[in-house]
Amino acid sequence: MKVLIAEDDYVSRLLVKKAVNKIGHDVLEAENGKLALQLFLDHKPDMIISDWMMPEMDGIELCRRIRASDKKTYSYIMLLTAKDKMTDLVEVFEAGADDYIIKPFKPDELRSRIKTGERIVKLESEHHELQEELIGKNKKLDETLANLKMTQSQILQAEKMASIGQLAAGVAHEINNPIGFISSNLDALNDYMEDLGVLVNHFQKLEKTVKDANQDNLSAEIKQQIQTISEFEEQIEVEYLKNDIPELLKDCREGTDRVGKIVGDLKSFAHPGNDEQMLIDINKGLESTLNVVNNEIKYKATITKNLGDIPMVEGYPQKLNQVFMNILVNAAQAIKEKGEIKIQTKKEGRYVVISISDTGCGIKKEHLSKIFDPFFTTKEIGKGTGLGMNIAYNIIKEHKGKIDVKSIAGKGTIFTIILPGE
């Protein structure tokens, strides 16, 4: 234990020093209160034995200064004084002292009081260690709780995505059936209309032939029927119909093909039930994700694609599609009016590099380091969970890849994903 002795009288200081040394403690000496305070601040002793009346600074003020210091562990203070009035003793304790000895004192009494103080310092030290340990455990508990909350949120998000995937696959399947027979019926209808077109042409040739023939040889009834047919042809604009009906059927066919492609992309995006890794075509995954989130993007940005010849990637398609979706939706939301989103894929060595950039509002410099932190969001309350980018980061990490972000506020953001290729 380290003991500071503050005593302006040399003989008294020597007497106290001998008593402390006999117990086996280290000693610091000061001949006035000001020097004693400096030694305390520099060495943080466990015990201070100080005279009351000293030059520069008295023992009472020294006691107050020590108690006001930022020393974390406890220091035991004992004052030496010739004052023995009750009011003097009250002042000693009010200043923060733990004990006092009336001068003149006996060495045995001083040693006993030092040992008492030593026990108290030891107890305070143990209490401090336990307190620090408890603070450390509480900190770990807080971290564990935060991790638990994050994991719980991620599990809920994963379950939500799995449910959406299952629902999307079910909806896609249900849509596929009617689209199938609509498409089939349109093909049949197109064939029928071609046949009817041929028949109408034959009728029109017959009509023209009859009109060009000698009208005197025709009965009144036939003349009336030909007149009725001619008038009805003009009324319904038969030539227009002959040209327009095939175009209408073509538009319907294109529409059903488009719905079929959206359904296919929805199924490809969802990939429900795929708990095992598989080889993934990243370009195809980006295309299907773009079609799924098209409604979020089409009014905000034009898409520029530069998809290179890249190797397959081993992983979970639904999870990687979720990463692409999170980045693309965020990019669209970052664009206030009309902007551009660029998507590029390329091969670098054995790695696949995917970059998605936008011309949106960008991310502030102070936020960049937190962008992948759980629950961090710059969106308004209720408009973002702060999990999208954290989930994306963890998914890419799960695929042994890297994800990086660069941004300039007011100009735009670029996300770069690097994945090991096959």
Side-chain angles (χ1 to χ4, degrees), residues 120-132:
I120 292 173
V121 168
K122 186 179 178 182
L123 288 171
E124 288 288 346
S125 178
E126 289 174 353
H127 174 263
H128 178 74
E129 288 175 4
L130 288 171
Q131 192 176 37
E132 288 293 316

Side-chain angles (χ1 to χ4, degrees), residues 276-299:
E276 296 181 359
Q277 290 191 343
M278 58 186 291
L279 290 178
I280 307 165
D281 184 339
I282 293 295
N283 288 343
K284 186 178 178 182
L286 283 165
E287 291 281 12
S288 64
T289 304
L290 275 170
N291 281 329
V292 170
V293 299
N294 181 56
N295 194 58
E296 289 282 338
I297 298 175
K298 63 182 179 182
Y299 301 111

Side-chain angles (χ1 to χ4, degrees), residues 61-95:
E61 182 60 25
L62 175 63
C63 188
R64 291 194 183 103
R65 296 281 187 93
I66 289 171
R67 290 296 179 235
S69 73
D70 59 356
K71 185 172 181 282
K72 291 183 179 180
T73 55
Y74 192 75
S75 292
Y76 189 87
I77 303 176
M78 185 188 307
L79 284 184
L80 309 176
T81 178
K83 298 181 179 183
D84 59 357
K85 291 182 180 179
M86 183 58 67
T87 53
D88 296 328
L89 300 181
V90 169
E91 188 177 359
V92 168
F93 290 118
E94 286 182 346

Side-chain angles (χ1 to χ4, degrees), residues 25 82 156 206 253 256 290 294 321 329 342 374 384:
H25 299 313
L156 289 172
L206 176 62
R253 182 64 185 170
T256 54
L290 275 170
N294 181 56
N321 287 345
V329 170
K342 292 181 180 179

